[in-house]
Amino acid sequence: MTGMNFLRDLASSAGVEDRQIYAPERLRFVLEAFRPGKDPDQAKRALAREIPALIGENTFDLEPLFEQPEPNGIQFFVLAMRGLDRTLPPEQLFAIAADLRHALKLISCEPDIGADVFVDPEPELPPGVESAVVDAYCLAEGKAPPDKRWALATAGVIAAWQINPAKGAGIVIAQPDTGITDHPELTDASLDRTNSLNILEGGADATDPLRAGTANPGHGTATGSVAASAESGSIAGAAPRATLVPIRCIEDVKIFDGSPVAKAVDHAVNIGAHVITMSLGGIWSRSLRRAIRKAVEHDVIVIAAAGNCVGLVVWPAAFDDAIAVGGSNVADQMWKGSSHGSKIDFCAPAEFVWRADRKSAADPRGKVSGGQGTSFAAALTAGVAALWLSHFDRPAVIIEARRRSTTVQELFRAAARQSARRPAHWQAGLGAGVINAAALLALPLSQVETAGPEFASSDAGGLESALETVLGPGQFDARFDLSAHGAEISALLVADAKAGRAPAGTAAEARAFTRASCGLAEAAGTARDPRLAQLALRTGLTAPALVTNESMDPARLAGIIKGLAVSSSAGATPESAAGMELGDAQQSLDAAGRDKIIEPLMKRLETSGRPGMAQTISDLDESLYRLHREGTAARLTESATINLEALVSLIDRPALPVETRQSPQGQVQMINVDDPALGGFGKLVMIVQGDLEQRFASVGRIDSGGTHIGSGFVVGKKSGLVVTNRHVLESLASPVPRVVNPQRWILNAPATIDFSPHADDAQQRFVVEEVLFAGPQPILRRMIDFNKLDLALLRVAATSTTGKALPPAIPIAAGAVTGAAQNLFVVGYPAPPNALPRDEKGLIRRDVVDRLRELFGLDYHRKYFSPGVVQRRSHVWVFDHDATTLGGNSGSLTAELGGRLEGIGLHFAGDWLRANHAHNLADVLAAEPGLAALLA
């Protein structure tokens, strides 16, 4: 199905649309058309006549993006589908955009994909917020300095007030953000509500509704206070007498859409704003780039936050026309989460910056706190820009810029860089230094050192530097069609950066689970820049390599020594080892104890055929010897320490491969029940071996478009029913017309479930036909919420592509899991992680997972058996367990290890071998009678 046919099929499900065209989650495209000699209304009418033939009558809304026509005949329009949420994956949206571009003969067509890019870290964000998986590392620990104006002092603002007491008076700062809410810190600020705009809901009221469930409610209030709050409160903005115009164009800064932000920038220009501050970020957008360029042409200073917790500079800061502001801290060093690179112009305080803090209606109205993020660096810089314009008189600044054949933007950029304070040992990639408002105001306009003629914006729009940041240096292909593929390339780069991708040559790949559209994959394959093919033609995930820093943490080593006592001491258990004296645990690592640890690995070596495993085992033996001899004083490399942590974490919790073997009954799926890694589970597994083989046969790997998505297993008394997670379903199908309680689901690509151990047997591969049931609430891009049912029921073909019958259904236990210590096992298809934790320096932490492959022969994407126990019941329909699982285990069977081996749970989430969560199936069926009826 082509992208256009797919869109037409979606449109047939649409109802009457009564939402604003820029409503969050609405399915929307930005069309860039060359229509010389036509005003926007004429061009709109012409497009409106062409579109129905492609996607049907009365299925869309169309309007010009910008208020004023472009002088060069290029015009931007927004096409929004009626009654349809944005539920398609990005690669499908880009495929539809490519078809629209071709059919309508457009310069470009870009979807609003809701890119998950920009997050301001907050201490209140709980573990399990998907966007925070790689963001937690960038949250600085500690408390904000007691001086609530320390950031202003550090940036030279307080001294600048002495130079010019006007403090920004007469300057208008426009703020595209979430809007503002009632807060005392903004009560006395100069707010211009008559020129405000609410792009999302319509009208002029830019009040932030502080809607629950968004990542950053109150964000605009916080950043607005840093830029322009009055001095009468407990804090003060950098330009307390400037006028602030709030523009509500985003629901939260985490989800970025280009078109409403571009419209906000255009509105700011049309109302005569002098400074635009953007504490938000996302992917490359031609419409946003044009809006910013237009602002610069109209003598507006455009400030943008560089980005947080992702490494590369995000857009719009990455555009040449924007001023990109990185983050510093109270010690004049880089704030640990700041993006960095050649695009950064300078830094401003971004760590524990005092700001207005109101995230919900229940919060105290007057709360202030120390926030973190380049959002605050950008907002403070916008205030400094207002001080500069007020001090030198904006008309005079414009005259000076004209005299130099440059723009006000470039004059300010040059002046700010020239006057910036460069601390000792300033880190590369953070620009000229920390902005210094006092030195900036003391620098006469005539002495500002500009580059000369008017600044020329590169066609690459920041993609060249982003490619280098994520994929390493290379020869950029300037001839590549960026108008067609720039937005998608940026989306893939951001996804890789968030997943922890290191530049080529420094580590093996750690790929994001994000696919390229067919059009980009085809174009990238012939590009002169091989990095584009490397980005678009992805072949799957692999674990990264290790760093080798010295590890001398005694507490860490003590935990390892005690943990190793489980497998080196006869009769020891994890509980008894925890209570063991450290000296006794250390002595247990004598020659005999080390042999007990190494023996299972040697047996694996005999059958694994892995060339590097012998050296790994030898290194482990040496590390064990050093722990026995030196205890916590041992100086081990980080690589050696993590290898030992892997041993501790996987003692009695192995992941054993399921293999097809010949038996008297024919071919069966089984594990090696003699594997020493089973530890205390060995005898129990041996007793139930025959029944286990039946369970193995009914668990399969779910693929979409040939890519591993998750796991699932056969259930129910009717033929052809497979259960998996809703978040697995969201990766292979799209809910229509809404993400909440959808009417139906449409498969994005052909999907299958394969029950063979390696998911490579056509005889055991069954086509997914339809979705029968799914939890009503969306899971992807959301906080892990136990109240949401992460379950989906699929109907699959009753016979495989070669005519083989579906495996038997797994019986579901009638009684719910009630407490801890119940033996269980998980069967599924682990995949490498798509988001990697970081250490306090922002480097990827090569955790236990990264050594599974070397130590335990874990080939990703194939079937594994993992024993464990129930740890606790954590919710009315959720229990935690400690079996070894990874990302691809989503949708795995969780069954009792004993009795009838009935299914007790559906695995849906895990946290690095430490906290795994499964839905308690008996409780789910009791709460969902519709699902129970389908399985009856």
Side-chain angles (χ1 to χ4, degrees):
M1 180 182 293
T2 66
M4 196 69 70
N5 289 339
F6 199 99
L7 185 60
R8 178 184 285 274
D9 182 44
L10 283 176
S12 67
S13 302
V16 177
E17 180 60 61
D18 57 0
R19 294 180 297 170
Q20 290 290 325
I21 197 169
Y22 296 99
E25 301 293 346
R26 188 170 177 185
L27 182 57
R28 190 169 50 239
F29 300 86
V30 178
L31 318 180
E32 182 185 8
F34 181 60
R35 299 293 187 266
K38 293 185 178 180
D39 63 32
D41 286 338
Q42 291 175 319
K44 173 186 171 181
R45 287 193 297 269
L47 277 173
R49 287 192 296 269
E50 298 178 56
I51 294 173
L54 303 175
I55 59 177
E57 295 279 355
N58 301 317
T59 60
F60 64 93
D61 293 316
L62 183 71
E63 72 171 37
L65 176 60
F66 302 137
E67 293 183 19
Q68 302 297 324
E70 297 290 306
N72 57 3
I74 296 176
Q75 300 185 44
F76 289 87
F77 298 89
V78 177
L79 171 70
M81 300 303 298
R82 290 180 181 167
L84 292 178
D85 278 354
R86 179 179 56 224
T87 61
L88 301 176
E91 69 270 14
Q92 191 68 263
L93 293 176
F94 283 114
I96 292 171
D99 284 356
L100 284 171
R101 179 186 187 228
H102 176 75
L104 296 174
K105 297 180 175 58
L106 304 172
I107 298 173
S108 70
C109 181
E110 295 175 348
D112 277 342
I113 68 170
D116 184 352
V117 178
F118 191 101
V119 172
D120 279 335
E122 297 285 353
E124 295 85 358
L125 281 178
V129 177
E130 184 165 314
S131 65
V133 170
V134 293
D135 295 329
Y137 81 91
C138 68
L139 185 66
E141 297 180 356
K143 296 182 179 179
D147 179 4
K148 292 183 174 60
R149 298 187 178 184
W150 77 266
L152 300 179
T154 295
V157 170
I158 295 177
W161 291 349
Q162 303 303 314
I163 297 174
N164 184 1
K167 300 178 183 178
I171 302 303
V172 177
I173 302 174
Q175 184 194 28
D177 211 299
T178 64
I180 60 170
T181 192
D182 183 24
H183 196 289
E185 294 299 332
L186 291 175
T187 299
D188 295 331
S190 178
L191 298 176
D192 182 358
R193 296 183 183 273
T194 61
N195 282 313
S196 294
L197 184 66
N198 186 332
I199 294 173
L200 302 185
E201 290 89 11
D205 184 3
T207 298
D208 185 340
L210 304 181
R211 187 170 291 119
T214 59
N216 296 89
H219 186 268
T221 301
T223 52
S225 69
V226 172
S229 61
E231 295 176 82
S232 55
S234 61
I235 63 173
R241 297 183 185 174
T243 299
L244 184 71
V245 182
I247 304 172
R248 178 167 162 76
C249 64
I250 55 174
E251 181 71 9
D252 64 51
V253 295
K254 181 170 74 73
I255 304 301
F256 180 88
D257 289 324
S259 66
V261 179
K263 190 170 187 66
V265 172
D266 184 65
H267 175 72
V269 174
N270 292 332
I271 64 172
H274 308 137
V275 179
I276 298 174
T277 176
M278 288 189 283
S279 295
L280 44 78
I283 65 173
W284 199 83
S285 161
R286 284 180 66 87
S287 61
L288 180 53
R289 183 180 174 209
R290 177 57 199 143
I292 292 173
R293 186 58 180 166
K294 179 180 177 181
V296 171
E297 291 169 350
H298 284 75
D299 303 311
V300 181
I301 296 175
V302 182
I303 309 295
N308 306 328
C309 314
V310 69
L312 83 165
V313 179
V314 299
W315 291 267
F319 288 128
D320 294 332
D321 297 302
I323 292 175
V325 184
S328 59
N329 62 17
V330 69
D332 279 342
Q333 299 299 314
M334 183 184 84
W335 169 61
K336 65 190 302 184
S338 177
S339 291
H340 48 85
S342 60
K343 288 294 179 182
I344 301 293
D345 289 297
F346 47 80
C347 287
E351 181 178 313
F352 299 130
V353 177
W354 285 93
R355 46 71 193 270
D357 184 2
R358 193 173 186 214
K359 301 181 180 68
S360 75
D363 285 346
R365 287 183 61 254
K367 181 183 177 183
V368 296
S369 65
Q372 299 188 43
T374 56
S375 284
F376 306 115
L380 191 151
T381 298
V384 172
L387 299 179
W388 184 72
L389 289 173
S390 177
H391 176 62
F392 286 108
D393 186 44
R394 184 170 179 268
V397 173
I398 294 174
I399 291 172
E400 179 65 17
R402 298 283 191 277
R403 185 184 69 81
R404 295 170 179 246
S405 299
T406 190
T407 62
V408 172
Q409 171 90 331
E410 292 312 310
L411 189 62
F412 175 74
R413 190 199 310 260
R417 288 177 57 85
Q418 184 177 335
S419 59
R421 180 171 52 82
R422 191 176 185 89
H425 310 295
W426 188 241
Q427 184 174 329
L430 294 177
V434 179
I435 194 166
N436 187 340
L440 177 66
L441 268 57
L443 177 65
L445 291 181
S446 60
Q447 295 182 20
V448 176
E449 299 172 358
T450 56
E454 184 173 355
F455 181 78
S457 177
S458 166
D459 287 340
L463 287 172
E464 186 171 3
S465 63
L467 276 166
E468 183 166 348
T469 299
V470 178
L471 298 178
Q475 184 62 48
F476 185 74
D477 187 354
R479 301 194 310 173
F480 193 76
D481 189 355
L482 296 179
S483 63
H485 303 296
E488 187 176 6
I489 289 171
S490 71
L492 293 173
L493 288 170
V494 166
D496 269 15
K498 291 199 69 156
R501 174 67 182 268
T506 64
E509 295 182 1
R511 306 311 306 266
F513 189 66
T514 305
R515 298 183 232 174
S517 68
C518 293
L520 175 58
E522 182 178 353
T526 59
R528 291 186 173 185
D529 186 346
R531 294 173 301 178
L532 294 177
Q534 184 182 357
L535 182 72
L537 305 177
R538 30 190 89 228
T539 58
L541 300 158
T542 59
L546 290 166
V547 293
T548 55
N549 296 323
E550 288 294 313
S551 172
M552 295 175 290
D553 182 353
R556 187 178 178 191
L557 293 181
I560 291 173
I561 292 170
K562 287 188 175 183
L564 291 169
V566 173
S567 55
S568 62
S569 301
T573 65
E575 293 76 15
S576 64
M580 186 182 294
E581 292 293 333
L582 179 61
D584 293 338
Q586 182 177 336
Q587 288 304 311
S588 73
L589 300 180
D590 56 13
R594 293 196 300 274
D595 285 345
K596 291 180 181 178
I597 296 173
I598 295 297
E599 181 183 358
L601 301 179
M602 293 299 296
K603 288 187 176 181
R604 286 193 180 278
L605 175 61
E606 294 173 2
T607 58
S608 70
R610 295 179 177 274
M613 192 173 176
Q615 184 60 49
T616 299
I617 294 174
S618 176
D619 292 342
L620 273 172
D621 197 21
E622 171 64 21
S623 299
L624 292 170
Y625 171 71
R626 293 181 64 180
L627 287 180
H628 171 64
R629 185 185 61 189
E630 304 169 25
T632 56
R635 294 175 62 90
L636 303 178
T637 65
E638 179 72 3
S639 174
T641 305
I642 291 173
N643 280 344
L644 293 172
E645 286 178 328
L647 281 175
V648 173
S649 296
L650 295 169
I651 288 172
D652 287 348
R653 298 296 185 271
L656 300 184
V658 176
E659 303 283 0
T660 299
R661 297 180 184 176
Q662 193 66 34
S663 75
Q665 292 76 33
Q667 285 193 336
V668 297
Q669 294 184 25
M670 57 195 306
I671 59 170
N672 178 12
V673 296
D674 296 319
D675 196 314
L678 284 169
F681 290 104
K683 292 182 179 179
L684 183 57
V685 169
M686 192 172 296
I687 293 172
V688 298
Q689 178 181 357
D691 293 328
L692 270 179
E693 293 165 0
Q694 295 181 23
R695 298 293 179 259
F696 294 158
S698 299
V699 180
R701 193 182 87 183
I702 297 175
D703 289 8
S704 176
T707 300
H708 178 190
I709 300 295
S711 304
F713 55 95
V714 184
V715 293
K717 297 180 180 179
K718 302 172 186 176
S719 176
L721 302 182
V722 166
V723 68
T724 186
N725 296 139
R726 167 155 174 164
H727 80 258
V728 171
L729 174 63
E730 288 172 345
S731 294
L732 61 91
S734 299
V736 177
R738 300 277 188 264
V739 294
V740 178
N741 286 316
Q743 296 174 9
R744 64 187 178 110
W745 291 77
I746 298 177
L747 295 175
N748 300 324
T752 60
I753 181 168
D754 190 321
F755 295 94
S756 62
H758 291 273
D760 60 355
D761 185 354
Q763 295 189 51
Q764 301 184 63
R765 186 176 304 133
F766 297 76
V767 174
V768 176
E769 296 181 336
E770 64 175 321
V771 180
L772 298 179
F773 175 89
Q777 299 293 326
I779 307 298
L780 288 185
R781 293 200 312 232
R782 299 296 192 272
M783 182 185 310
I784 292 177
D785 185 347
F786 289 168
N787 291 306
K788 293 182 177 180
L789 179 57
D790 194 2
L791 180 148
L793 185 66
L794 311 177
R795 185 192 300 281
V796 304
T799 57
S800 70
T801 52
T802 60
K804 186 173 181 177
L806 195 69
I810 293 174
I812 304 300
V817 173
T818 57
Q822 179 177 351
N823 291 323
L824 55 76
F825 65 91
V826 173
V827 179
Y829 293 75
N834 66 351
L836 302 176
R838 310 254 186 164
D839 63 17
E840 67 280 356
K841 296 180 180 179
L843 300 174
I844 296 171
R845 184 168 184 325
R846 274 52 177 181
D847 207 350
V848 179
V849 174
D850 302 342
R851 275 310 195 197
L852 290 176
R853 180 162 45 89
E854 285 85 352
L855 296 178
F856 294 90
L858 183 58
D859 292 319
Y860 297 121
H861 309 295
R862 56 152 305 158
K863 190 180 297 187
Y864 282 88
F865 163 85
S866 302
V869 298
V870 175
Q871 294 175 306
R872 68 189 65 83
R873 183 164 175 165
S874 51
H875 183 270
V876 65
W877 59 19
V878 175
F879 64 86
D880 298 347
H881 65 87
D882 64 1
T884 297
T885 62
L886 294 175
N889 279 108
S890 293
S892 291
L893 166 68
T894 306
E896 59 182 357
L897 186 55
R900 298 174 57 197
L901 303 186
E902 292 178 319
I904 58 174
L906 173 70
H907 177 82
F908 68 89
D911 181 21
W912 301 94
L913 302 173
R914 290 185 287 274
N916 300 310
H917 312 297
H919 276 307
N920 195 334
L921 288 176
D923 284 334
V924 170
L925 293 177
E928 294 287 344
L931 175 63
L934 288 169
L935 297 182

